[in-house]
Amino acid sequence: MLPLHGIRVVSIAQNVPGPLAVAKLRAAGASVIKIEPPAGDPLEGFCPSWYEELHRDTVVERLDLKSGAGDERMQSVLADADLFVASQRPAALTRLRLDVATLLVSHRATAHLRWLNIVGERAHPEVAGHDLTYLARAGLLGSEVPRTLIADVLGAEAAYARALLLLREAPGSSAEVGLYDSLAPLIAARTYGLTGPGTLLGGAYSGYAIYRAREGRVAVAALEPHFRAQLFGELGQPDGADLTAVFAARSAAEWQAWARQRDLPLTAVAD
């Protein structure tokens, strides 16, 4: 039997972080009802296949929560739930009467709920933003749009972990998770000088870098002393030498095979 068997979750969380966190709750055994606005979740339009995967085995209902019928249905669904998950700004939840004060204090029928909301940043929950703006503010953007979502995925992991803790707390407990806040461990690497321009892992050490090969690129991460000594020794280069010309002599696939034979942390870069 899965660990969350018997737990009932009601979610109105949209886009990526909420559905991703709730999908993990469902995978752990929880039953999930997703309430969407009449127009649906924007994620379904952006990426139908991922939306479908995240909502597998989820009951989806579309309601106008601003209408009397929609509000009545929502209250009925919540009355049987253990956990409510949202990803709206506090003012929006207050307008929908789905805020903590209403659900956990004013309404006896929903006072048993655990309440979780995913916001952009806990210190400024009303400020609009998305993954790209959170990364920009954190100093984690390069010159291109990132290849994947980072704040959204880390925020989903934080929301999932917080949901598990909430389910161990007393009925009526509530919590808020911030997407920007979830970036704290990534920001710390730059704050303490481990990454960033001119740092050990930011280009200052030639044994931890990305090089262009004859075909493709290779990523090298020879940090430990024995890897460092072996890398430069096998390449016939002095410790810390610039390896640009060396790696340009073979293809990325050839360098990867070479590294595997020598148990070195080097791999071809996937495009």
Side-chain angles (χ1 to χ4, degrees), residues 195-214:
T195 60
T199 63
L200 176 68
L201 305 187
Y205 169 47
S206 60
Y208 190 94
I210 297 174
Y211 292 96
R212 189 164 297 281
R214 189 179 65 220

Side-chain angles (χ1 to χ4, degrees), residues 16-58:
V16 172
L20 186 55
V22 172
K24 297 191 71 168
L25 294 171
R26 188 195 68 245
S31 62
V32 179
I33 295 179
K34 168 81 173 293
I35 304 298
E36 296 181 352
D41 187 331
L43 180 62
E44 186 176 15
F46 298 151
C47 191
S49 56
W50 197 15
Y51 171 90
E52 181 179 351
E53 177 184 326
L54 292 178
H55 293 80
R56 185 180 298 121
D57 299 322
T58 294

Side-chain angles (χ1 to χ4, degrees), residues 169-192:
E169 297 176 11
S173 298
S174 64
E176 198 171 60
V177 171
L179 300 180
Y180 178 80
D181 306 280
S182 73
L183 297 174
L186 302 184
I187 297 172
R190 288 176 58 86
T191 300
Y192 291 103

Side-chain angles (χ1 to χ4, degrees), residues 137-256:
R137 181 180 165 201
L140 300 176
L141 278 186
S143 58
E144 299 179 352
V145 174
R147 291 191 172 190
T148 190
L149 301 173
I150 299 175
D152 282 0
V153 173
L154 287 179
E157 292 294 323
Y160 173 63
R162 194 65 188 89
L164 295 180
L165 290 175
L166 272 176
L167 290 169
R168 296 176 61 90
E169 297 176 11
S173 298
S174 64
E176 198 171 60
V177 171
L179 300 180
Y180 178 80
D181 306 280
S182 73
L183 297 174
L186 302 184
I187 297 172
R190 288 176 58 86
T191 300
Y192 291 103
L194 184 60
T195 60
T199 63
L200 176 68
L201 305 187
Y205 169 47
S206 60
Y208 190 94
I210 297 174
Y211 292 96
R212 189 164 297 281
R214 189 179 65 220
E215 296 175 7
R217 295 177 296 156
V218 294
V220 186
L223 280 177
E224 291 82 0
H226 66 286
F227 284 143
R228 179 173 185 152
Q230 186 180 1
L231 174 69
F232 289 99
E234 292 278 359
L235 293 175
Q237 298 293 316
D239 185 18
D242 183 357
L243 303 176
T244 302
V246 175
F247 283 117
R250 302 185 191 181
S251 70
E254 290 173 321
W255 280 119
Q256 181 172 282

